[in-house]
């Protein structure tokens, strides 16, 4: 399976990072090694001093597809949850300055903690799906799927032009504003609405 991550998909986050609004969904990938879905603590890696959380809605692909048309895209995912696109911001900055790829900063081991999935109905899920992240009991990020620059269907249509989507693939659909660092001892809790789907203890 593969993990596809969308960048620059919420205007407030684009602004906080001083980026430009993209004309098409910008994406990159994480390897399977990035998955982390057991209720275990997360150990900060020693190669970075600035690991950031990015809270994102994650959809799960339920059948194989290539060149998927937008009007059929809804039937290609069957579940949703929240996930963290953990990012070594210091290394990402360095890679960008040198024009190098991002994998060191984005696809390191356990960099994609994933919540419990909720089934989603392709024929009628709400346009507005609200999600939030608490750090040590305080809300640090909150988002709403209706504010995505590119919605689920557009993302699936675009990504599947270049990459065949397969059952079990995950798409992290971008983060809203409020990204920030995690430190040893932090407790993260992520929700969709009131449902607690992901918790992470940072060690
Ligand atoms: Zn992200």
């Amino acid at each position: 399976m593969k993990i596809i991550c969308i960048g620059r998909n919420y205007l407030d986050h684009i602004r906080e990072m001083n980026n430009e609004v993209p004309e098409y969904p910008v994406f990159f990938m994480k390897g399977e090694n990035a998955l982390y879905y057991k209720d275990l603590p997360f150990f900060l890696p020693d190669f970075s001093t600035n690991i950031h959380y990015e809270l994102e809605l994650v959809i799960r692909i339920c059948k194989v597809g290539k060149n998927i048309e937008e009007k059929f895209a809804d039937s290609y995912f069957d579940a949703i949850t929240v996930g963290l696109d953990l990012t070594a911001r210091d290394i990402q900055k360095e890679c960008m300055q040198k024009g190098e790829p991002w994998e060191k900063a984005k696809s390191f081991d356990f960099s994609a903690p994933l919540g419990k999935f909720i089934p989603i109905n392709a024929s009628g899920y709400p346009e507005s799906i609200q999600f939030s992240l608490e750090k040590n009991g305080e809300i640090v990020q909150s988002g709403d799927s209706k504010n995505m620059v590119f919605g689920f269907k557009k993302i699936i249509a675009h990504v599947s032009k270049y990459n065949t989507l397969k059952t079990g693939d995950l798409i992290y659909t971008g983060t809203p504003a409020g990204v920030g660092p995690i430190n040893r001892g932090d407790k993260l809790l992520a929700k969709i609405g009131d449902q607690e789907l992901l918790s992470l203890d940072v060690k």
Side-chain angles (χ1 to χ4, degrees):
M1 58 83 67
K2 53 191 174 294
I3 304 169
I4 294 146
C5 302
I6 307 297
R8 305 178 190 176
N9 206 22
Y10 288 84
L11 293 177
D12 52 359
H13 175 63
I14 293 171
R15 277 188 215 112
E16 78 178 345
M17 302 302 279
N18 288 319
N19 286 320
E20 279 173 24
V21 180
E23 287 165 29
Y24 45 82
V26 174
F27 68 96
F28 59 92
M29 290 196 204
K30 296 193 187 225
E32 200 171 346
N33 64 304
L35 268 189
Y36 202 71
Y37 46 85
K38 301 192 179 65
D39 267 340
L40 297 169
F42 171 80
F43 291 93
L44 285 169
D46 55 14
F47 52 75
S48 168
T49 55
N50 196 19
I51 301 284
H52 273 204
Y53 55 78
E54 293 188 0
L55 178 71
E56 316 201 356
L57 287 172
V58 181
I59 53 174
R60 188 179 64 195
I61 299 298
C62 60
K63 59 183 179 186
V64 178
K66 180 163 175 69
N67 282 320
I68 299 165
E69 280 184 63
E70 223 180 289
K71 60 181 173 189
F72 300 126
D74 274 349
S75 65
Y76 282 82
F77 63 100
D78 66 352
I80 191 164
T81 188
V82 275
L84 293 167
D85 166 16
L86 296 180
T87 303
R89 201 66 81 195
D90 44 355
I91 295 179
Q92 185 191 31
K93 215 171 142 191
E94 219 179 278
C95 291
M96 285 166 99
Q97 277 163 358
K98 293 182 182 164
E100 290 176 359
W102 279 7
E103 274 77 2
K104 280 197 294 190
K106 284 285 195 181
S107 184
F108 55 88
D109 289 348
F110 313 129
S111 60
L114 186 65
K116 240 189 319 175
F117 276 102
I118 307 172
I120 197 165
N121 186 345
S123 63
Y125 54 86
E127 195 203 339
S128 159
I129 299 171
Q130 290 167 3
F131 58 108
S132 63
L133 178 69
E134 288 173 21
K135 186 172 106 170
N136 305 324
E138 241 176 81
I139 294 183
V140 287
Q141 278 193 287
S142 58
D144 190 321
S145 61
K146 70 170 197 243
N147 295 327
M148 292 192 290
V149 178
F150 302 103
F152 302 135
K153 288 190 267 195
K154 282 209 163 64
I155 291 170
I156 287 175
H158 182 76
V159 171
S160 72
K161 263 192 233 175
Y162 306 94
N163 297 274
T164 299
L165 293 176
K166 296 192 174 174
T167 304
D169 286 350
L170 302 174
I171 305 182
Y172 280 60
T173 58
T175 191
V179 300
I182 51 173
N183 292 296
R184 200 158 286 138
D186 284 344
K187 284 182 192 304
L188 302 177
L189 179 65
K191 299 179 191 173
I192 289 180
D194 295 330
Q195 292 188 71
E196 298 181 359
L197 300 173
L198 170 65
S199 67
L200 199 72
D201 285 345
V202 183
K203 302 271 180 187

